[in-house]
Short mmCIF file of all heavy atoms in Angstrom, two decimals:
data_model
loop_
_atom_site.label_atom_id
_atom_site.label_comp_id
_atom_site.label_asym_id
_atom_site.label_seq_id
_atom_site.Cartn_x
_atom_site.Cartn_y
_atom_site.Cartn_z
N MET A 1 221.40 93.93 -39.89
CA MET A 1 222.00 94.36 -41.15
C MET A 1 222.64 93.18 -41.87
O MET A 1 222.88 92.13 -41.29
CB MET A 1 223.04 95.45 -40.88
CG MET A 1 222.47 96.72 -40.28
SD MET A 1 223.74 97.88 -39.70
CE MET A 1 224.61 98.25 -41.22
N GLY A 2 222.94 93.37 -43.16
CA GLY A 2 223.62 92.35 -43.95
C GLY A 2 225.13 92.40 -43.77
O GLY A 2 225.68 93.38 -43.25
N ASN A 3 225.80 91.36 -44.21
CA ASN A 3 227.25 91.26 -44.01
C ASN A 3 228.03 92.37 -44.69
O ASN A 3 229.05 92.82 -44.17
CB ASN A 3 227.75 89.89 -44.48
CG ASN A 3 227.40 88.79 -43.50
OD1 ASN A 3 227.38 89.00 -42.29
ND2 ASN A 3 227.11 87.61 -44.02
N ASP A 4 227.58 92.82 -45.86
CA ASP A 4 228.26 93.94 -46.53
C ASP A 4 228.33 95.15 -45.62
O ASP A 4 229.39 95.76 -45.43
CB ASP A 4 227.52 94.32 -47.82
CG ASP A 4 227.89 93.43 -49.00
OD1 ASP A 4 228.76 92.57 -48.81
OD2 ASP A 4 227.30 93.60 -50.07
N ASP A 5 227.18 95.52 -45.07
CA ASP A 5 227.11 96.70 -44.21
C ASP A 5 227.86 96.48 -42.90
O ASP A 5 228.53 97.40 -42.39
CB ASP A 5 225.65 97.05 -43.92
CG ASP A 5 224.90 97.47 -45.17
OD1 ASP A 5 225.51 98.11 -46.04
OD2 ASP A 5 223.70 97.15 -45.28
N ILE A 6 227.77 95.29 -42.35
CA ILE A 6 228.44 95.00 -41.08
C ILE A 6 229.95 95.09 -41.24
O ILE A 6 230.64 95.75 -40.45
CB ILE A 6 228.04 93.61 -40.55
CG1 ILE A 6 226.57 93.63 -40.10
CG2 ILE A 6 228.95 93.19 -39.39
CD1 ILE A 6 226.03 92.27 -39.74
N MET A 7 230.49 94.44 -42.25
CA MET A 7 231.94 94.43 -42.43
C MET A 7 232.47 95.81 -42.80
O MET A 7 233.56 96.21 -42.37
CB MET A 7 232.34 93.39 -43.48
CG MET A 7 232.16 91.96 -43.01
SD MET A 7 233.12 91.62 -41.51
CE MET A 7 232.34 90.11 -40.93
N ARG A 8 231.69 96.55 -43.57
CA ARG A 8 232.09 97.92 -43.90
C ARG A 8 232.18 98.76 -42.62
O ARG A 8 233.12 99.54 -42.44
CB ARG A 8 231.09 98.55 -44.87
CG ARG A 8 231.48 99.97 -45.32
CD ARG A 8 230.44 100.58 -46.24
NE ARG A 8 230.20 99.77 -47.42
CZ ARG A 8 229.07 99.13 -47.68
NH1 ARG A 8 228.06 99.20 -46.83
NH2 ARG A 8 228.94 98.42 -48.78
N ALA A 9 231.21 98.57 -41.73
CA ALA A 9 231.21 99.32 -40.47
C ALA A 9 232.38 98.90 -39.57
O ALA A 9 233.03 99.75 -38.95
CB ALA A 9 229.89 99.11 -39.74
N LEU A 10 232.66 97.61 -39.51
CA LEU A 10 233.74 97.13 -38.64
C LEU A 10 235.12 97.59 -39.12
O LEU A 10 235.96 98.00 -38.32
CB LEU A 10 233.70 95.60 -38.56
CG LEU A 10 232.53 94.98 -37.81
CD1 LEU A 10 232.61 93.46 -37.87
CD2 LEU A 10 232.50 95.44 -36.36
N PHE A 11 235.33 97.51 -40.43
CA PHE A 11 236.64 97.85 -40.99
C PHE A 11 236.76 99.34 -41.31
O PHE A 11 237.86 99.83 -41.61
CB PHE A 11 236.93 97.01 -42.23
CG PHE A 11 237.35 95.60 -41.93
CD1 PHE A 11 236.42 94.60 -41.75
CD2 PHE A 11 238.70 95.28 -41.80
CE1 PHE A 11 236.80 93.29 -41.45
CE2 PHE A 11 239.10 93.98 -41.51
CZ PHE A 11 238.14 92.98 -41.33
N GLY A 12 235.64 100.04 -41.30
CA GLY A 12 235.67 101.48 -41.54
C GLY A 12 235.87 101.87 -42.99
O GLY A 12 236.23 103.01 -43.29
N ARG A 13 235.62 100.94 -43.89
CA ARG A 13 235.79 101.23 -45.32
C ARG A 13 235.07 100.16 -46.13
O ARG A 13 234.84 99.05 -45.63
CB ARG A 13 237.27 101.24 -45.71
CG ARG A 13 237.95 99.88 -45.58
CD ARG A 13 239.43 99.94 -45.94
NE ARG A 13 240.03 98.63 -46.02
CZ ARG A 13 240.45 97.91 -44.99
NH1 ARG A 13 240.33 98.39 -43.76
NH2 ARG A 13 240.98 96.70 -45.17
N PRO A 14 234.71 100.46 -47.38
CA PRO A 14 234.15 99.43 -48.25
C PRO A 14 235.18 98.33 -48.51
O PRO A 14 236.38 98.60 -48.55
CB PRO A 14 233.80 100.18 -49.54
CG PRO A 14 233.74 101.62 -49.14
CD PRO A 14 234.74 101.78 -48.04
N LEU A 15 234.72 97.11 -48.66
CA LEU A 15 235.61 95.98 -48.90
C LEU A 15 235.21 95.27 -50.19
O LEU A 15 234.04 95.25 -50.56
CB LEU A 15 235.51 94.97 -47.74
CG LEU A 15 235.96 95.45 -46.36
CD1 LEU A 15 235.57 94.42 -45.30
CD2 LEU A 15 237.46 95.70 -46.33
N PRO A 16 236.19 94.68 -50.89
CA PRO A 16 235.84 93.87 -52.06
C PRO A 16 234.91 92.73 -51.67
O PRO A 16 234.96 92.25 -50.53
CB PRO A 16 237.21 93.32 -52.52
CG PRO A 16 238.22 94.24 -51.92
CD PRO A 16 237.65 94.72 -50.62
N ALA A 17 234.10 92.31 -52.59
CA ALA A 17 233.11 91.28 -52.30
C ALA A 17 233.74 90.01 -51.77
O ALA A 17 233.20 89.36 -50.87
CB ALA A 17 232.30 90.98 -53.56
N GLU A 18 234.92 89.66 -52.32
CA GLU A 18 235.56 88.42 -51.87
C GLU A 18 236.03 88.52 -50.43
O GLU A 18 236.02 87.53 -49.67
CB GLU A 18 236.73 88.03 -52.79
CG GLU A 18 237.83 89.07 -52.93
CD GLU A 18 237.61 90.02 -54.08
OE1 GLU A 18 236.44 90.19 -54.51
OE2 GLU A 18 238.60 90.60 -54.56
N ASP A 19 236.43 89.73 -50.01
CA ASP A 19 236.84 89.92 -48.61
C ASP A 19 235.64 89.87 -47.68
O ASP A 19 235.72 89.29 -46.59
CB ASP A 19 237.59 91.25 -48.45
CG ASP A 19 238.98 91.22 -49.04
OD1 ASP A 19 239.45 90.13 -49.40
OD2 ASP A 19 239.61 92.30 -49.15
N VAL A 20 234.54 90.49 -48.10
CA VAL A 20 233.32 90.43 -47.29
C VAL A 20 232.90 88.99 -47.09
O VAL A 20 232.56 88.57 -45.97
CB VAL A 20 232.18 91.22 -47.97
CG1 VAL A 20 230.85 90.96 -47.26
CG2 VAL A 20 232.48 92.71 -47.97
N ASP A 21 232.93 88.22 -48.15
CA ASP A 21 232.53 86.81 -48.08
C ASP A 21 233.45 86.03 -47.14
O ASP A 21 232.99 85.27 -46.28
CB ASP A 21 232.56 86.19 -49.48
CG ASP A 21 232.09 84.75 -49.49
OD1 ASP A 21 230.91 84.51 -49.15
OD2 ASP A 21 232.89 83.86 -49.80
N ARG A 22 234.75 86.24 -47.27
CA ARG A 22 235.72 85.51 -46.44
C ARG A 22 235.59 85.89 -44.97
O ARG A 22 235.55 85.02 -44.10
CB ARG A 22 237.14 85.79 -46.96
CG ARG A 22 238.25 85.18 -46.12
CD ARG A 22 239.56 85.24 -46.87
NE ARG A 22 239.91 86.61 -47.24
CZ ARG A 22 240.59 87.45 -46.44
NH1 ARG A 22 240.98 87.05 -45.25
NH2 ARG A 22 240.89 88.67 -46.86
N TYR A 23 235.54 87.18 -44.70
CA TYR A 23 235.43 87.62 -43.31
C TYR A 23 234.11 87.18 -42.69
O TYR A 23 234.05 86.79 -41.51
CB TYR A 23 235.54 89.14 -43.23
CG TYR A 23 236.91 89.70 -43.50
CD1 TYR A 23 237.09 90.84 -44.28
CD2 TYR A 23 238.06 89.09 -42.96
CE1 TYR A 23 238.35 91.36 -44.52
CE2 TYR A 23 239.32 89.61 -43.20
CZ TYR A 23 239.46 90.74 -43.99
OH TYR A 23 240.71 91.26 -44.22
N SER A 24 233.04 87.26 -43.46
CA SER A 24 231.72 86.89 -42.95
C SER A 24 231.69 85.41 -42.58
O SER A 24 231.17 85.02 -41.52
CB SER A 24 230.63 87.19 -43.97
OG SER A 24 230.59 88.57 -44.26
N LYS A 25 232.22 84.57 -43.45
CA LYS A 25 232.24 83.14 -43.17
C LYS A 25 233.10 82.83 -41.95
O LYS A 25 232.76 81.96 -41.14
CB LYS A 25 232.76 82.38 -44.39
CG LYS A 25 231.77 82.32 -45.54
CD LYS A 25 232.33 81.60 -46.74
CE LYS A 25 231.31 81.52 -47.87
NZ LYS A 25 231.87 80.90 -49.09
N GLU A 26 234.19 83.56 -41.79
CA GLU A 26 235.05 83.35 -40.62
C GLU A 26 234.32 83.71 -39.33
O GLU A 26 234.35 82.95 -38.36
CB GLU A 26 236.32 84.19 -40.76
CG GLU A 26 237.29 84.00 -39.60
CD GLU A 26 238.57 84.80 -39.78
OE1 GLU A 26 238.78 85.38 -40.87
OE2 GLU A 26 239.36 84.86 -38.82
N LYS A 27 233.68 84.88 -39.33
CA LYS A 27 232.95 85.29 -38.12
C LYS A 27 231.81 84.33 -37.80
O LYS A 27 231.61 83.95 -36.64
CB LYS A 27 232.43 86.72 -38.31
CG LYS A 27 231.67 87.25 -37.10
CD LYS A 27 230.18 87.01 -37.23
CE LYS A 27 229.43 87.23 -35.93
NZ LYS A 27 227.99 86.97 -36.08
N GLU A 28 231.07 83.89 -38.82
CA GLU A 28 229.93 83.01 -38.56
C GLU A 28 230.38 81.63 -38.13
O GLU A 28 229.68 80.94 -37.37
CB GLU A 28 229.03 82.93 -39.78
CG GLU A 28 228.43 84.26 -40.22
CD GLU A 28 227.68 85.00 -39.11
OE1 GLU A 28 227.33 84.38 -38.08
OE2 GLU A 28 227.45 86.21 -39.25
N LYS A 29 231.55 81.21 -38.56
CA LYS A 29 232.10 79.93 -38.08
C LYS A 29 232.40 80.02 -36.58
O LYS A 29 232.13 79.09 -35.82
CB LYS A 29 233.36 79.57 -38.86
CG LYS A 29 233.96 78.21 -38.50
CD LYS A 29 235.11 77.88 -39.44
CE LYS A 29 235.68 76.50 -39.15
NZ LYS A 29 236.41 76.45 -37.87
N ILE A 30 232.95 81.16 -36.17
CA ILE A 30 233.19 81.38 -34.74
C ILE A 30 231.87 81.31 -33.98
O ILE A 30 231.77 80.65 -32.94
CB ILE A 30 233.85 82.76 -34.51
CG1 ILE A 30 235.24 82.81 -35.15
CG2 ILE A 30 233.95 83.07 -33.01
CD1 ILE A 30 235.84 84.21 -35.20
N TYR A 31 230.84 81.97 -34.50
CA TYR A 31 229.52 82.00 -33.88
C TYR A 31 228.96 80.59 -33.72
O TYR A 31 228.49 80.21 -32.63
CB TYR A 31 228.59 82.87 -34.72
CG TYR A 31 227.12 82.56 -34.58
CD1 TYR A 31 226.40 82.99 -33.46
CD2 TYR A 31 226.44 81.84 -35.57
CE1 TYR A 31 225.05 82.71 -33.34
CE2 TYR A 31 225.10 81.57 -35.45
CZ TYR A 31 224.40 81.99 -34.34
OH TYR A 31 223.07 81.71 -34.22
N ARG A 32 229.02 79.78 -34.77
CA ARG A 32 228.45 78.44 -34.69
C ARG A 32 229.22 77.56 -33.70
O ARG A 32 228.61 76.76 -32.98
CB ARG A 32 228.43 77.79 -36.08
CG ARG A 32 227.43 78.45 -37.04
CD ARG A 32 227.21 77.61 -38.29
NE ARG A 32 228.41 77.45 -39.08
CZ ARG A 32 228.83 78.27 -40.02
NH1 ARG A 32 228.13 79.39 -40.28
NH2 ARG A 32 229.92 78.04 -40.71
N GLU A 33 230.52 77.74 -33.65
CA GLU A 33 231.32 76.96 -32.70
C GLU A 33 230.96 77.30 -31.26
O GLU A 33 230.86 76.43 -30.40
CB GLU A 33 232.81 77.20 -32.95
CG GLU A 33 233.31 76.57 -34.24
CD GLU A 33 234.73 76.99 -34.58
OE1 GLU A 33 235.26 77.91 -33.92
OE2 GLU A 33 235.31 76.41 -35.52
N ILE A 34 230.75 78.58 -30.99
CA ILE A 34 230.39 79.03 -29.64
C ILE A 34 228.98 78.55 -29.27
O ILE A 34 228.73 78.09 -28.15
CB ILE A 34 230.44 80.57 -29.55
CG1 ILE A 34 231.87 81.07 -29.71
CG2 ILE A 34 229.87 81.06 -28.22
CD1 ILE A 34 231.95 82.59 -29.84
N PHE A 35 228.05 78.64 -30.22
CA PHE A 35 226.63 78.42 -29.94
C PHE A 35 226.23 76.95 -29.95
O PHE A 35 225.18 76.59 -29.40
CB PHE A 35 225.81 79.19 -30.96
CG PHE A 35 224.42 79.56 -30.52
CD1 PHE A 35 224.07 79.70 -29.19
CD2 PHE A 35 223.44 79.81 -31.49
CE1 PHE A 35 222.80 80.06 -28.80
CE2 PHE A 35 222.15 80.17 -31.10
CZ PHE A 35 221.83 80.29 -29.76
#
């Protein structure tokens, strides 16, 4: 799925686009550091 749908599912509610972008970049930064 795309980040919009993923973050909506995780937070249990729709999020403003800027929040989706910020949270998505944060999570993917964690992923790249681990991988």
Side-chain angles (χ1 to χ4, degrees):
M1 297 170 61
N3 284 326
D4 278 356
D5 295 325
I6 291 172
M7 290 302 164
R8 183 182 302 113
L10 291 177
F11 282 87
R13 66 181 189 279
L15 296 170
E18 58 269 23
D19 287 350
V20 170
D21 183 63
R22 175 167 57 88
Y23 289 138
S24 299
K25 287 178 178 176
E26 182 178 351
K27 180 266 167 181
E28 299 306 343
K29 184 173 183 290
I30 296 169
Y31 156 77
R32 291 192 298 272
E33 289 171 351
I34 294 172
F35 204 25

